[in-house]
Amino acid sequence: MSIIENLIEYYDELFPVTEEQKEFYRSVTQTYTSPVKFLRVECGTGMFESQLAREGHDVTGIESYQEILHSANLRRRNQLMSIRFFQMPVIDMARFLGKGFYNIISCLDNRIIFLHDQTLIRKFFFDCRQLLSEGGTCILGLLNFDAFTGEPLIKLPNRESLRAKLFSEVWIADDGRASVTQNVETGNGRLLPVMENCPAYLLRPAEVKSFAQEAGFSSVAFYADFLKTPFSGKEESLVAVLR
């Protein structure tokens, strides 16, 4: 069950666009002819996408939650920017979006795990490969679940801003299935539910590499962060670059 509206007010604070992220994307963008065509899968409130569009790029964002998508569309005040947002399940993106069109496809902030099933995750990699142009890049930002221990309960790192904290826990059932519970604590100490027992798939680095190669990607590079810190396998976060 999801009560995502409790998170929207604090979304941009808890999932900020850092200078490191901007510079990381600038370095990738330089390898393509402008305007670079971006697709963000589970784009959230579209803050980063709006910045890319202001820089002159062609930007598409898809989001599963209508409530969050409304916030993204409010950013589209300048009609001259080449940007559009769609409410769309991730599993449908290869049906409705242009194959071979996008230079860069991203899925960040660990949103990929909510595809919640290995078959759907593998489909995601195949769909990205279809939607990418020749020489295109897929960028994934996720947690490194190899770095977390504890069953049946795994406490994930908190996200914090001046006004809120986001607490996330993963519960693992006896059959190995995982689910995520999230709560946001506001500045006045109120604890609001965001999601309760939402199915998730704990995608691990070895699977990212395996699924990417299976889908036809020729190279997979792992970093610990957007600074391109080498990934040793012990870090809690992971940025994967697929080409």
Side-chain angles (χ1 to χ4, degrees), residues 152-164:
L153 174 64
I154 301 174
K155 290 185 177 292
L156 300 181
N158 297 336
R159 286 183 172 268
E160 299 186 25
S161 71
L162 290 175
R163 298 194 306 149

Side-chain angles (χ1 to χ4, degrees), residues 145-200:
F145 288 102
D146 286 345
F148 298 96
T149 58
E151 290 190 17
L153 174 64
I154 301 174
K155 290 185 177 292
L156 300 181
N158 297 336
R159 286 183 172 268
E160 299 186 25
S161 71
L162 290 175
R163 298 194 306 149
K165 295 181 182 179
L166 181 64
F167 303 98
S168 302
E169 298 177 340
V170 176
W171 291 90
I172 301 176
D174 293 339
D175 62 3
R177 295 184 182 183
S179 61
V180 174
T181 293
Q182 288 185 329
N183 295 281
V184 63
E185 181 182 315
T186 65
N188 61 11
R190 292 184 63 198
L191 197 64
L192 303 176
V194 175
M195 59 178 62
E196 183 177 353
N197 297 325
C198 281

Side-chain angles (χ1 to χ4, degrees), residues 28-45:
V28 178
T29 301
Q30 290 173 359
T31 63
Y32 302 103
T33 302
S34 184
V36 179
K37 299 176 179 64
F38 284 89
L39 170 63
R40 172 74 175 273
V41 179
E42 303 293 30
C43 62
T45 61

Side-chain angles (χ1 to χ4, degrees), residues 26-194:
R26 288 191 191 105
S27 67
V28 178
T29 301
Q30 290 173 359
T31 63
Y32 302 103
T33 302
S34 184
V36 179
K37 299 176 179 64
F38 284 89
L39 170 63
R40 172 74 175 273
V41 179
E42 303 293 30
C43 62
T45 61
M47 180 166 57
F48 184 43
E49 287 60 52
S50 295
Q51 293 181 16
L52 292 171
R54 285 195 294 270
E55 293 173 4
H57 302 301
D58 184 284
V59 183
T60 301
I62 65 171
E63 172 60 51
S64 300
Y65 291 106
Q66 183 178 4
E67 301 91 336
I68 297 180
L69 192 69
H70 177 70
S71 297
N73 278 315
L74 288 176
R75 298 182 186 276
R76 298 175 60 247
R77 295 175 180 174
N78 183 350
Q79 298 300 317
L80 297 178
M81 293 193 306
S82 183
I83 185 170
R84 77 286 306 163
F85 296 108
F86 303 110
Q87 183 185 4
M88 183 183 300
V90 178
I91 60 172
D92 286 342
M93 65 181 188
R95 290 180 57 198
F96 297 110
L97 301 178
K99 292 180 174 58
F101 181 78
Y102 301 98
N103 302 122
I104 300 173
I105 297 177
S106 304
C107 186
L108 307 177
D109 300 324
N110 208 42
R111 294 288 300 275
I112 191 174
I113 72 169
F114 294 106
L115 286 173
H116 72 73
D117 177 87
Q118 186 186 89
T119 300
L120 297 179
I121 295 272
R122 292 170 72 182
K123 180 182 185 303
F124 168 83
F125 284 90
F126 277 96
D127 289 351
C128 286
R129 182 62 267 174
Q130 287 188 53
L131 295 172
L132 281 170
S133 62
E134 187 69 27
T137 302
C138 179
I139 301 171
L140 306 177
L142 63 158
L143 292 175
N144 172 25
F145 288 102
D146 286 345
F148 298 96
T149 58
E151 290 190 17
L153 174 64
I154 301 174
K155 290 185 177 292
L156 300 181
N158 297 336
R159 286 183 172 268
E160 299 186 25
S161 71
L162 290 175
R163 298 194 306 149
K165 295 181 182 179
L166 181 64
F167 303 98
S168 302
E169 298 177 340
V170 176
W171 291 90
I172 301 176
D174 293 339
D175 62 3
R177 295 184 182 183
S179 61
V180 174
T181 293
Q182 288 185 329
N183 295 281
V184 63
E185 181 182 315
T186 65
N188 61 11
R190 292 184 63 198
L191 197 64
L192 303 176
V194 175

